[in-house]
Amino acid sequence: DQQVKQNSPSLSVQEGRISILNCDYTNSMFDYFLWYKKYPAEGPTFLISISSIKDKNEDGRFTVFLNKSAKHLSLHIVPSQPGDSAVYFCAATYVYGQNFVFGPGTRLSVLP
Amino acid sequence: DAGVIQSPRHEVTEMGQEVTLRCKPISGHDYLFWYRQTMMRGLELLIYFNNNVPIDDSGMPEDRFSAKMPNASFSTLKIQPSEPRDSAVYFCASSPETGPQETQYFGPGTRLLVL
């Protein structure tokens, strides 16, 4: 049973528009969440994170929202750029843990 | 820093053969992780080490898989004998020993194809 779910395998967005990637988790003990981005033939790289004590974290064009009651988080990219085309993984862990549980990923395509 | 180094980058082998994947973590990082990525299951944690000691190997699929970390700068993941269903991309990642803000740094992966 997957503890971290990304129900959209793929997403296409026009350049300049907003991209919204969603992630759901089932384990209420998770209290720290991360997003990683992966380009083909490369390893995943860290993008942005959020602690459960917050409901929003922003870094430039990237914002992560956390809804603890719904066990849901989302990554917003505004404005989307063609260079954002990649697979995005959501990951969850515990504040003092090192064991990240990753979702299956969502492939984002930003169309010029 | 060169980042996490993995070798080989690609491996093609026949069913039944032994496969050894190698990883050099970032210097000074005390945690090392082995992941497997497949289309069906995404990124799965296989095992992780802290200061060269295996901490959690519950993700290792079966006895055919084994991992070692003989020193702080080297780890191996071995599959013996290999099977076609082991075909996947295997990632190694490392992390410093600090609090939750520390992320994991991934290597480029080894793409394994077992025929």
Side-chain angles (χ1 to χ4, degrees):
Chain A
D1 184 31
Q2 281 191 332
Q3 297 186 69
V4 178
K5 303 177 184 180
Q6 294 177 258
N7 292 323
S8 297
S10 63
L11 175 68
S12 291
V13 172
Q14 209 67 36
E15 181 179 4
R17 299 292 187 115
I18 183 172
S19 295
I20 300 177
L21 295 93
N22 294 304
C23 176
D24 298 286
Y25 60 97
T26 57
N27 189 338
S28 58
M29 298 298 290
F30 288 140
D31 50 16
Y32 196 76
F33 305 89
L34 310 94
W35 285 92
Y36 277 74
K37 180 168 71 173
K38 184 186 177 305
Y39 291 119
E42 295 183 10
T45 55
F46 170 73
L47 185 59
I48 193 170
S49 62
I50 188 167
S51 163
S52 61
I53 62 173
K54 296 183 176 181
D55 54 18
K56 176 183 174 181
N57 189 25
E58 197 170 350
D59 183 2
R61 296 185 297 113
F62 302 91
T63 303
V64 56
F65 295 92
L66 175 62
N67 182 334
K68 284 179 291 184
S69 61
K71 296 192 184 67
H72 176 83
L73 62 156
S74 60
L75 174 68
H76 292 211
I77 307 173
V78 183
S80 302
Q81 300 174 353
D84 297 329
S85 297
V87 176
Y88 289 79
F89 291 98
C90 171
T93 187
Y94 314 96
V95 170
Y96 294 104
Q98 286 286 348
N99 187 353
F100 291 5
V101 179
F102 283 85
T106 296
R107 182 179 300 278
L108 173 65
S109 299
V110 180
L111 310 173
Chain B
D1 199 320
V4 175
I5 299 172
Q6 291 187 247
S7 65
R9 293 293 308 273
H10 302 273
E11 177 81 28
V12 180
T13 189
E14 292 187 345
M15 181 174 64
Q17 297 297 307
E18 176 181 303
V19 174
T20 299
L21 312 180
R22 297 172 175 81
C23 175
K24 176 179 167 54
I26 294 172
S27 177
H29 283 193
D30 293 330
Y31 285 86
L32 183 139
F33 306 81
W34 281 102
Y35 288 90
R36 177 172 68 176
Q37 183 191 11
T38 61
M39 289 292 291
M40 292 293 293
R41 302 174 69 89
L43 261 176
E44 300 175 274
L45 177 66
L46 300 178
I47 184 171
Y48 78 95
F49 296 82
N50 180 22
N51 292 319
N52 314 337
V53 176
I55 302 301
D56 183 354
D57 65 355
S58 59
M60 295 286 261
E62 47 196 279
D63 292 346
R64 298 185 296 105
F65 286 69
S66 62
K68 294 182 179 179
M69 192 165 186
N71 57 63
S73 59
F74 183 67
S75 176
T76 60
L77 177 67
K78 185 176 293 186
I79 308 173
Q80 180 186 20
S82 57
E83 296 182 3
R85 60 191 167 124
D86 302 330
S87 298
V89 182
Y90 291 82
F91 289 102
C92 175
S94 70
S95 176
E97 183 171 16
T98 53
Q101 288 76 19
E102 286 302 328
T103 63
Q104 296 177 14
Y105 297 83
F106 283 77
T110 295
R111 185 174 293 275
L112 173 66
L113 178 60
V114 182
L115 302 174

